[in-house]
Amino acid sequence: MKSGFIGIIGRPNVGKSTLLNAILGEKISITTDKPQTTRNSIRGIYTHMAENKGEEDVQMIFIDTPGIHKPKNKLGSYMTGMAVNTFKEVEVIILIVDDELSAGTGDKYILDLLQGVETPKILVINKIDKLEPEKYRRIYEEYSAMGIFHAIYGASAIDGKNVDVIMKEIEGLLEEGPMYFPEDMVTDHPERFIVSEIIREKALLYLEKEVPHGIAIEIESYKEENRITKIGAVIYCEKKSHKGIIIGKEGKKLKGIGKSSRMEIEALLGTKVFLELWVKIKENWRDSDFALSNFGYDNKE
């Protein structure tokens, strides 16, 4: 079969997680309209076993990386380090953009990091459903003129537009290899991790401004009983004032986070879920090596 690893990179909030979920036809990576949603490299596994003559079996392992940005703290350094390390581990790199280079320094920073990387690169101009044709043409031409991309495609990840064409292009760049994961597996992350990410996504959706980036989720208990899974999780924040915001007046905000999390976790696990949430303060955890390691953000490999 053809198989290989594909890194999805780009600035925060360009649609990396949305593209991965569209490819898999299943949600494994959280998406919000807030930047820097993805903190870990989420592995998504796409396997297609050929049904017709002339087709090949194929397995693509996608790594959805955190948005690349100039770091402001140790968590930021960890996230950018994770994304850059991906360049060395994959057979194909997909760079996602949604604007012209002149719009900001973020894409220039990524292009500088890509200099000298010989891995085949595909450029995806995302959100074409929102781009004027003339603007799309300008973006296409400025990236095409660089001469570093194997192919350039426009896409709308949220609608799945052109995702199949991009998949065909990737398949053409892969060589024969082993089946790394079982055919029915869509991610190598354990359920506990996906549960913690669902809770973090709901917190991101319910909260505003800087509070979401200062939160981390820790699953303290996870018990699978007859027809029900009991989960206890802590939402950590950095400031006492943030704790009050997360809980909300009469606990309404925390209840909303809990209810929407529970509904999605039940759909994921296919069982009833009893979810308890607590809010605790861990000051400046984003700049603490110990806290980052404790929450699973460890870049030492």
Side-chain angles (χ1 to χ4, degrees), residues 70-88:
K70 289 185 178 175
K72 295 178 182 175
N73 49 43
K74 286 185 178 178
L75 176 62
S77 297
Y78 164 84
M79 289 162 67
T80 300
M82 287 286 285
V84 172
N85 284 343
T86 301
F87 300 169
K88 307 165 193 170

mmCIF file of all heavy atoms in Angstrom, residues 70-88:
data_model
loop_
_atom_site.group_PDB
_atom_site.id
_atom_site.type_symbol
_atom_site.label_atom_id
_atom_site.label_comp_id
_atom_site.label_asym_id
_atom_site.label_seq_id
_atom_site.Cartn_x
_atom_site.Cartn_y
_atom_site.Cartn_z
ATOM 1 N N LYS A 70 5.171 33.692 16.553
ATOM 2 C CA LYS A 70 6.321 34.057 17.386
ATOM 3 C C LYS A 70 5.911 33.926 18.847
ATOM 4 O O LYS A 70 4.985 34.593 19.301
ATOM 5 C CB LYS A 70 6.789 35.475 17.059
ATOM 6 C CG LYS A 70 7.467 35.544 15.695
ATOM 7 C CD LYS A 70 8.043 36.903 15.403
ATOM 8 C CE LYS A 70 8.742 36.878 14.038
ATOM 9 N NZ LYS A 70 9.236 38.204 13.621
ATOM 10 N N PRO A 71 6.607 33.053 19.604
ATOM 11 C CA PRO A 71 6.156 32.726 20.967
ATOM 12 C C PRO A 71 6.267 33.911 21.931
ATOM 13 O O PRO A 71 7.187 34.711 21.857
ATOM 14 C CB PRO A 71 7.121 31.613 21.393
ATOM 15 C CG PRO A 71 7.888 31.213 20.182
ATOM 16 C CD PRO A 71 7.817 32.336 19.208
ATOM 17 N N LYS A 72 5.278 33.977 22.862
ATOM 18 C CA LYS A 72 5.285 35.007 23.906
ATOM 19 C C LYS A 72 5.543 34.406 25.285
ATOM 20 O O LYS A 72 5.772 35.128 26.246
ATOM 21 C CB LYS A 72 3.944 35.748 23.919
ATOM 22 C CG LYS A 72 3.680 36.554 22.647
ATOM 23 C CD LYS A 72 2.327 37.229 22.700
ATOM 24 C CE LYS A 72 2.057 37.998 21.415
ATOM 25 N NZ LYS A 72 0.694 38.563 21.377
ATOM 26 N N ASN A 73 5.475 33.084 25.387
ATOM 27 C CA ASN A 73 5.745 32.417 26.666
ATOM 28 C C ASN A 73 6.206 30.991 26.370
ATOM 29 O O ASN A 73 6.333 30.594 25.202
ATOM 30 C CB ASN A 73 4.496 32.423 27.570
ATOM 31 C CG ASN A 73 3.245 31.952 26.822
ATOM 32 O OD1 ASN A 73 3.301 30.987 26.069
ATOM 33 N ND2 ASN A 73 2.127 32.641 27.038
ATOM 34 N N LYS A 74 6.476 30.219 27.418
ATOM 35 C CA LYS A 74 7.007 28.861 27.221
ATOM 36 C C LYS A 74 5.996 27.946 26.533
ATOM 37 O O LYS A 74 6.371 27.073 25.764
ATOM 38 C CB LYS A 74 7.449 28.270 28.565
ATOM 39 C CG LYS A 74 8.748 28.881 29.059
ATOM 40 C CD LYS A 74 9.260 28.223 30.324
ATOM 41 C CE LYS A 74 10.600 28.849 30.731
ATOM 42 N NZ LYS A 74 11.111 28.256 31.982
ATOM 43 N N LEU A 75 4.694 28.162 26.801
ATOM 44 C CA LEU A 75 3.680 27.379 26.088
ATOM 45 C C LEU A 75 3.741 27.696 24.595
ATOM 46 O O LEU A 75 3.684 26.794 23.756
ATOM 47 C CB LEU A 75 2.283 27.674 26.634
ATOM 48 C CG LEU A 75 1.128 26.980 25.886
ATOM 49 C CD1 LEU A 75 1.251 25.457 25.970
ATOM 50 C CD2 LEU A 75 -0.223 27.434 26.415
ATOM 51 N N GLY A 76 3.896 28.978 24.265
ATOM 52 C CA GLY A 76 4.023 29.382 22.860
ATOM 53 C C GLY A 76 5.239 28.760 22.204
ATOM 54 O O GLY A 76 5.190 28.292 21.064
ATOM 55 N N SER A 77 6.362 28.718 22.940
ATOM 56 C CA SER A 77 7.589 28.095 22.410
ATOM 57 C C SER A 77 7.376 26.611 22.178
ATOM 58 O O SER A 77 7.830 26.044 21.179
ATOM 59 C CB SER A 77 8.754 28.295 23.382
ATOM 60 O OG SER A 77 9.042 29.659 23.536
ATOM 61 N N TYR A 78 6.674 25.974 23.114
ATOM 62 C CA TYR A 78 6.362 24.546 22.971
ATOM 63 C C TYR A 78 5.541 24.310 21.713
ATOM 64 O O TYR A 78 5.823 23.419 20.909
ATOM 65 C CB TYR A 78 5.595 24.060 24.201
ATOM 66 C CG TYR A 78 4.907 22.730 23.995
ATOM 67 C CD1 TYR A 78 5.594 21.536 24.172
ATOM 68 C CD2 TYR A 78 3.578 22.666 23.578
ATOM 69 C CE1 TYR A 78 4.976 20.319 23.953
ATOM 70 C CE2 TYR A 78 2.952 21.459 23.354
ATOM 71 C CZ TYR A 78 3.662 20.284 23.546
ATOM 72 O OH TYR A 78 3.045 19.084 23.316
ATOM 73 N N MET A 79 4.488 25.132 21.523
ATOM 74 C CA MET A 79 3.586 24.949 20.390
ATOM 75 C C MET A 79 4.307 25.141 19.056
ATOM 76 O O MET A 79 4.148 24.348 18.131
ATOM 77 C CB MET A 79 2.407 25.919 20.510
ATOM 78 C CG MET A 79 1.449 25.557 21.637
ATOM 79 S SD MET A 79 0.375 26.924 22.139
ATOM 80 C CE MET A 79 -0.631 27.123 20.677
ATOM 81 N N THR A 80 5.132 26.201 18.960
ATOM 82 C CA THR A 80 5.872 26.440 17.719
ATOM 83 C C THR A 80 6.908 25.344 17.502
ATOM 84 O O THR A 80 7.111 24.877 16.372
ATOM 85 C CB THR A 80 6.539 27.833 17.755
ATOM 86 O OG1 THR A 80 5.511 28.814 17.896
ATOM 87 C CG2 THR A 80 7.305 28.115 16.476
ATOM 88 N N GLY A 81 7.549 24.900 18.579
ATOM 89 C CA GLY A 81 8.531 23.807 18.475
ATOM 90 C C GLY A 81 7.905 22.527 17.951
ATOM 91 O O GLY A 81 8.481 21.824 17.120
ATOM 92 N N MET A 82 6.680 22.223 18.427
ATOM 93 C CA MET A 82 5.959 21.040 17.946
ATOM 94 C C MET A 82 5.724 21.119 16.441
ATOM 95 O O MET A 82 5.915 20.148 15.712
ATOM 96 C CB MET A 82 4.604 20.931 18.649
ATOM 97 C CG MET A 82 4.668 20.503 20.091
ATOM 98 S SD MET A 82 5.044 18.753 20.279
ATOM 99 C CE MET A 82 3.493 18.028 19.829
ATOM 100 N N ALA A 83 5.308 22.301 15.973
ATOM 101 C CA ALA A 83 5.001 22.472 14.551
ATOM 102 C C ALA A 83 6.261 22.354 13.703
ATOM 103 O O ALA A 83 6.272 21.677 12.667
ATOM 104 C CB ALA A 83 4.329 23.823 14.327
ATOM 105 N N VAL A 84 7.340 22.991 14.143
ATOM 106 C CA VAL A 84 8.591 22.976 13.372
ATOM 107 C C VAL A 84 9.181 21.564 13.328
ATOM 108 O O VAL A 84 9.718 21.127 12.301
ATOM 109 C CB VAL A 84 9.601 23.989 13.956
ATOM 110 C CG1 VAL A 84 10.962 23.846 13.289
ATOM 111 C CG2 VAL A 84 9.080 25.417 13.774
ATOM 112 N N ASN A 85 9.070 20.823 14.440
ATOM 113 C CA ASN A 85 9.584 19.445 14.458
ATOM 114 C C ASN A 85 8.880 18.567 13.433
ATOM 115 O O ASN A 85 9.446 17.593 12.928
ATOM 116 C CB ASN A 85 9.402 18.826 15.856
ATOM 117 C CG ASN A 85 10.416 19.350 16.848
ATOM 118 O OD1 ASN A 85 11.441 19.915 16.452
ATOM 119 N ND2 ASN A 85 10.139 19.201 18.127
ATOM 120 N N THR A 86 7.631 18.924 13.120
ATOM 121 C CA THR A 86 6.847 18.156 12.149
ATOM 122 C C THR A 86 7.527 18.139 10.776
ATOM 123 O O THR A 86 7.430 17.161 10.040
ATOM 124 C CB THR A 86 5.427 18.744 12.029
ATOM 125 O OG1 THR A 86 4.823 18.704 13.325
ATOM 126 C CG2 THR A 86 4.558 17.962 11.067
ATOM 127 N N PHE A 87 8.206 19.249 10.431
ATOM 128 C CA PHE A 87 8.870 19.324 9.122
ATOM 129 C C PHE A 87 9.797 18.126 8.897
ATOM 130 O O PHE A 87 9.968 17.653 7.783
ATOM 131 C CB PHE A 87 9.729 20.586 8.997
ATOM 132 C CG PHE A 87 8.983 21.896 9.143
ATOM 133 C CD1 PHE A 87 9.676 23.080 9.278
ATOM 134 C CD2 PHE A 87 7.600 21.943 9.135
ATOM 135 C CE1 PHE A 87 9.006 24.295 9.407
ATOM 136 C CE2 PHE A 87 6.920 23.144 9.268
ATOM 137 C CZ PHE A 87 7.630 24.314 9.408
ATOM 138 N N LYS A 88 10.418 17.655 9.981
ATOM 139 C CA LYS A 88 11.446 16.609 9.866
ATOM 140 C C LYS A 88 10.845 15.205 9.833
ATOM 141 O O LYS A 88 11.524 14.247 9.509
ATOM 142 C CB LYS A 88 12.419 16.698 11.056
ATOM 143 C CG LYS A 88 13.027 18.073 11.274
ATOM 144 C CD LYS A 88 13.663 18.131 12.664
ATOM 145 C CE LYS A 88 13.991 19.579 13.055
ATOM 146 N NZ LYS A 88 14.392 19.675 14.467
#
